[in-house]
Amino acid sequence: MTPPSGEDLPLPDSDELASLLTRNGLRAVYRVLFESRGEPLTMNQIRERVTALDGTSHSQTDRRVRDLRDVFDVESWQEGRTHFYLLKGRRSEPRDRRGGLSAAARARVFQAYGARCAWCGRTPKEDEVKIVVDHIVPLDLGGPDREENCQLLCEEDNHAKQARFAEHKDRAEAISKAINHDDVHLRIGELLKALKGTEVPIDLINLVAREENRGDPTRRLRELRILGWTVTVRKEREGKRTLSYYTLEHAELWPDEGPGPVVRRAENERRRSKKQRSG
Ligand SMILES: [Zn+2]
């Protein structure tokens, strides 16, 4: 008997598996193979066990094993006239081309997000949506292929996001440069400069802002105005969300001491005069 392989495989009851295999029948086949990791099974054995598990007909088991192999590495070989199947691990070449993340890192992202879409909150179990690992700052725009830059999105929202950023791909270099500044004002300001003359969606500003808990990019934009910048905003309803689009009209040079101290002084000044007025 070979030792169990595929230490990084998701557990049959996990949310992650539910997101990888959205059909019950596929998950049943997975469970059977998962529980027999150390011991190859014949197709007949797989059929019997799937039926024992959920009482479903086994007419589709062959096809399900095939489908399972899109996602997982299921080794199969023939001895005499009998085929054997053994679940080895995840497919070493993930089907999405981004695939630099390790299986363990993907699992941590799933856990961190509770298998929920970060935009709409839907889950595979409750809503039968497929969840994918999404790069918050897209790789094309210079985002790192690391787990800190990853979130979960349902397929639908992932497509919507890709469409929204596709139009900025030709300015990827300028955007990725903006993203790498240490100061949040510089990140947002340099992004606006890179995209001068176009409307920049708040989503893209959010990405570049990289602030914890999404921060408050609209406040940062106000602060840019303190520095003498002119940024206009246009709001548009898109489904349930209202999206804001920002256009840079005028930029100033960055202060020598950096934008942070200038903004803080201005804010303190404003608070003091407000106090004086009310007191
Ligand atoms: Zn969603």
Side-chain angles (χ1 to χ4, degrees):
M1 194 159 125
T2 46
S5 52
E7 295 301 329
D8 65 342
L9 285 165
L11 294 172
D13 284 319
S14 65
D15 289 330
E16 191 199 354
L17 186 72
S19 73
L20 291 169
L21 307 175
T22 47
R23 283 174 289 155
N24 288 333
L26 263 186
R27 286 204 295 276
V29 171
Y30 177 86
R31 178 186 292 277
V32 165
L33 286 167
F34 180 88
E35 287 172 354
S36 182
R37 273 167 297 161
E39 194 181 0
L41 296 175
T42 65
M43 189 55 81
N44 274 335
Q45 286 173 318
I46 298 173
R47 286 195 194 113
E48 280 163 20
R49 292 185 194 195
V50 168
T51 302
L53 208 63
D54 60 8
T56 56
S57 126
H58 39 71
S59 63
Q60 294 189 40
T61 304
D62 294 64
R63 190 175 53 77
R64 284 174 182 157
V65 170
R66 251 196 335 270
D67 288 350
L68 194 63
R69 298 174 89 172
D70 284 344
V71 186
F72 294 100
D73 177 17
V74 181
E75 202 180 327
S76 92
W77 66 93
Q78 202 170 351
E79 287 174 21
R81 298 181 63 179
T82 313
H83 287 273
F84 289 92
Y85 299 88
L86 184 65
L87 178 62
K88 299 289 283 185
R90 297 167 195 257
R91 275 183 68 103
S92 52
E93 268 170 60
R95 280 176 309 160
D96 56 346
R97 296 135 281 134
R98 321 170 149 201
L101 280 191
S102 72
R106 293 173 74 88
R108 281 193 296 274
V109 175
F110 267 90
Q111 207 158 30
Y113 281 83
R116 229 167 246 288
C117 171
W119 284 17
C120 68
R122 291 185 294 175
T123 70
K125 273 187 180 167
E126 293 161 17
D127 312 284
E128 288 179 16
V129 292
K130 189 168 182 334
I131 294 281
V132 297
V133 175
D134 169 71
H135 287 81
I136 298 173
V137 179
L139 298 178
D140 294 338
L141 299 185
D145 195 10
R146 284 200 309 268
E147 95 190 66
E148 309 86 81
N149 185 38
C150 284
Q151 64 180 359
L152 298 185
L153 288 182
C154 68
E155 249 180 354
E156 201 181 310
D157 282 330
N158 192 43
H159 288 154
K161 182 181 165 192
Q162 280 171 5
R164 195 165 296 151
F165 292 118
E167 59 193 286
H168 296 298
K169 270 186 189 149
D170 53 331
R171 274 170 277 205
E173 204 181 320
I175 295 170
S176 60
K177 237 187 226 162
I179 286 171
N180 287 317
H181 283 290
D182 286 334
D183 184 282
V184 63
H185 301 97
L186 258 73
R187 290 200 293 276
I188 296 176
E190 290 297 318
L191 172 77
L192 291 170
K193 274 160 72 176
L195 301 180
K196 193 159 193 246
T198 62
E199 290 193 315
V200 184
I202 186 68
D203 297 37
L204 188 52
I205 292 174
N206 272 323
L207 289 188
V208 171
R210 285 199 278 124
E211 296 193 276
E212 278 185 22
N213 304 319
R214 307 198 105 197
D216 187 359
T218 51
R219 177 170 156 200
R220 300 299 176 202
L221 287 158
R222 252 192 339 265
E223 291 168 352
L224 283 179
R225 293 185 187 112
I226 292 174
L227 295 170
W229 291 47
T230 313
V231 182
T232 54
V233 60
R234 182 177 67 83
K235 288 180 191 282
E236 188 182 291
R237 273 193 82 73
E238 210 171 276
K240 282 179 195 158
R241 309 202 306 158
T242 301
L243 285 177
S244 305
Y245 293 87
Y246 294 88
T247 307
L248 175 65
E249 307 284 350
H250 168 76
E252 287 282 334
L253 292 174
W254 297 111
D256 285 338
E257 56 183 326
V262 179
V263 167
R264 272 193 296 278
R265 272 202 305 277
E267 287 283 304
N268 287 340
E269 192 66 38
R270 194 177 58 87
R271 263 195 293 273
R272 251 200 310 277
S273 61
K274 203 173 161 190
K275 228 179 184 170
Q276 272 166 8
R277 272 201 307 276
S278 61

